[in-house]
């Protein structure tokens, strides 16, 4: 799907579900990682994460477009367009728009690997760290004892 086709789809959904015209552009932005789409306040354009479309298909894309159109139309009208605003939540419910989109698994954040294990000499409390630390500078948070590297 191209950006022109996406803009046409957004215009169709806007007229069908909101009864209002979408007069700006919609485009794919592959730099989006943690969200399905976003509405740009200054330019009034809508950006969509192409990974969400590829992984979840047209139904998810339509849901993201409806969500962003809620932001768009409320902002244009000067009403509450933020997630916390009552106007926004009511419009989501009226149009059947999702509040959240599905998280793209390939972009999902994973916990960092803890490579270094430090232990207190006195109380044997263990601390896992991703980055090596200077044991002469730091002490145990529980008993103020000295730390030593237990394993890498």
């Amino acid at each position: 799907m191209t950006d022109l086709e996406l803009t046409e789809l957004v215009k169709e959904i806007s007229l069908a579900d909101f009864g209002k015209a979408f007069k700006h552009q919609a485009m794919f932005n592959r730099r989006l990682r943690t969200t399905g789409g976003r509405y740009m306040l200054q330019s009034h354009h809508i950006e969509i994460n192409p990974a969400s479309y590829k992984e979840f298909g047209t139904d998810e894309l339509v849901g993201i477009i409806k969500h962003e159109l809620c932001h768009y139309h409320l902002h244009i009208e000067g009403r509450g367009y933020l997630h916390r605003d009552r106007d926004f939540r009511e419009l989501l419910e009226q149009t059947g728009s999702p509040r959240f989109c599905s998280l793209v698994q390939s972009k999902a954040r994973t916990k960092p690997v803890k490579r270094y294990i430090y232990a207190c000499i006195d109380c044997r409390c263990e601390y896992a760290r991703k980055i090596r630390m200077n044991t002469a500078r730091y002490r145990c948070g529980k008993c103020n004892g000295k730390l030593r590297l237990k394993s890498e």
Side-chain angles (χ1 to χ4, degrees), residues 6 20 23 32 35 39-40 57 65 73 100 110 134 143 150:
L6 179 65
K20 300 170 188 167
K23 300 176 184 175
L32 294 177
T35 184
Y39 165 64
M40 309 297 286
I65 290 170
H73 289 300
F100 305 103
T110 58
N134 182 358
C143 71
K150 187 176 175 183

Side-chain angles (χ1 to χ4, degrees), residues 6-134:
L6 179 65
T7 301
E8 290 303 315
L9 178 63
V10 172
K11 287 179 180 180
E12 290 172 17
I13 292 171
S14 181
L15 282 174
D17 292 342
F18 295 86
K20 300 170 188 167
F22 177 73
K23 300 176 184 175
H24 294 86
Q25 290 181 330
M27 60 205 83
F28 286 109
N29 183 350
R30 58 187 168 85
R31 292 186 313 257
L32 294 177
R33 295 192 183 277
T34 59
T35 184
R38 69 178 172 185
Y39 165 64
M40 309 297 286
L41 291 172
Q42 272 72 36
S43 65
H44 304 295
H45 297 318
I46 291 177
E47 294 182 345
I48 303 292
N49 185 347
S52 295
Y53 173 56
K54 288 176 186 168
E55 192 166 321
F56 299 110
T58 309
D59 291 337
E60 182 71 17
L61 177 66
V62 170
I64 292 169
I65 290 170
K66 284 181 174 182
H67 179 97
E68 299 309 324
L69 281 172
C70 288
H71 289 295
Y72 172 81
H73 289 300
L74 291 170
H75 182 249
I76 297 290
E77 294 169 4
R79 294 168 57 201
Y81 61 90
L82 299 174
H83 287 111
R84 65 176 178 253
D85 294 328
R86 175 175 279 159
D87 291 336
F88 181 76
R89 290 185 185 180
E90 288 173 357
L91 188 57
L92 280 178
E93 198 171 309
Q94 289 170 6
T95 58
S97 305
R99 182 115 187 259
F100 305 103
C101 68
S102 302
L103 183 62
V104 179
Q105 292 300 318
S106 60
K107 305 291 183 187
R109 297 191 182 215
T110 58
K111 288 187 175 183
V113 177
K114 306 289 186 182
R115 297 188 337 198
Y116 300 99
I117 308 292
Y118 293 91
C120 174
I121 294 172
D122 297 335
C123 70
R124 295 189 175 92
C125 182
E126 292 187 355
Y127 300 93
R129 294 290 178 266
K130 186 170 80 170
I131 299 171
R132 193 174 181 102
M133 60 188 252
N134 182 358

